[in-house]
Amino acid sequence: MFVIRPIALKDLTQIHNLARRAQLGITSLPKDKGLLEGKILHSMRSFSKAVPQADDELYFFVLEDLETNDVVGSCALYSQVGVAKPMITYKLEKESHFYEPLSIGNEFDVLVPHKFEHGPTEVATLFLSNSYRKLGLGRLLSFSRFLFMANFPSRVKDSGI
């Protein structure tokens, strides 16, 4: 049997072991134990306080195998991006270029930076140990974030789109 629950300090060693096995580039699951501990503490503060509206909270969850007491996966949400510092994202847009003397119009895809300050909720990390894949647990982890958002709407910020 498995349970998805908020992360706790007792999970630090196990989540650190998971993070060390994750591929490079999963910035929301750092390999540095001190950074992970900071994320755990941030998440614990976020869960414990009353939140009338989303601000700078982190909701970090773990998937625990209750038969072995092992943390085998994780997922997270940032309640609102760009609060502590602006978040830069890139959007693929069409840009037209005209060449002389033939005046042939061509469209090119370009990446255009967009800055978010007090932006929407970010559906963040999702990681599952290799030996627990193909059991539907990755899907369960993914959907759990959306269930959290649906059940606690004051803790997340709509994109407005």
Side-chain angles (χ1 to χ4, degrees), residues 100-117:
E100 295 294 335
L102 300 175
S103 297
I104 299 174
N106 292 309
E107 283 192 348
F108 295 93
D109 291 331
V110 294
L111 288 174
V112 178
H114 291 273
K115 181 168 83 170
F116 282 102
E117 292 177 357

Side-chain angles (χ1 to χ4, degrees), residues 13-156:
T13 298
Q14 289 192 58
I15 200 71
H16 181 242
N17 289 336
L18 277 180
R20 288 181 22 224
R21 288 184 275 166
Q23 294 178 347
L24 290 176
I26 301 179
T27 57
S28 54
L29 192 60
K31 297 178 186 322
D32 180 277
K33 200 169 190 175
L35 290 175
L36 277 171
E37 183 177 15
K39 285 183 174 286
I40 292 170
L41 292 171
H42 185 181
S43 179
M44 291 171 64
R45 285 190 303 273
S46 298
F47 276 110
S48 67
K49 68 182 183 178
V51 178
Q53 66 182 35
D55 188 31
D56 189 25
E57 292 82 33
L58 167 63
Y59 302 106
F60 197 164
F61 302 90
V62 293
L63 174 68
E64 181 180 358
D65 183 337
L66 293 178
E67 291 180 14
T68 63
N69 295 318
D70 289 333
V71 171
V72 298
S74 67
C75 63
L77 290 168
Y78 290 98
S79 64
Q80 187 178 29
V81 297
V83 176
K85 60 182 178 183
M87 178 181 177
I88 306 296
T89 62
Y90 294 88
K91 184 176 179 183
L92 195 60
E93 295 182 0
K94 298 280 186 196
E95 186 172 295
S96 296
H97 294 277
F98 294 93
Y99 297 96
E100 295 294 335
L102 300 175
S103 297
I104 299 174
N106 292 309
E107 283 192 348
F108 295 93
D109 291 331
V110 294
L111 288 174
V112 178
H114 291 273
K115 181 168 83 170
F116 282 102
E117 292 177 357
H118 300 280
T121 295
E122 177 184 356
V123 177
T125 194
L126 189 149
F127 185 77
L128 184 61
S129 179
N130 285 343
S131 57
Y132 286 86
R133 294 181 183 169
K134 299 188 179 178
L135 301 173
L137 297 171
R139 178 179 271 200
L140 177 66
L141 271 171
S142 180
F143 287 165
S144 70
R145 298 174 294 187
F146 297 101
L147 288 171
F148 179 82
M149 289 190 286
N151 281 293
F152 302 99
S154 68
R155 293 183 177 267
V156 295

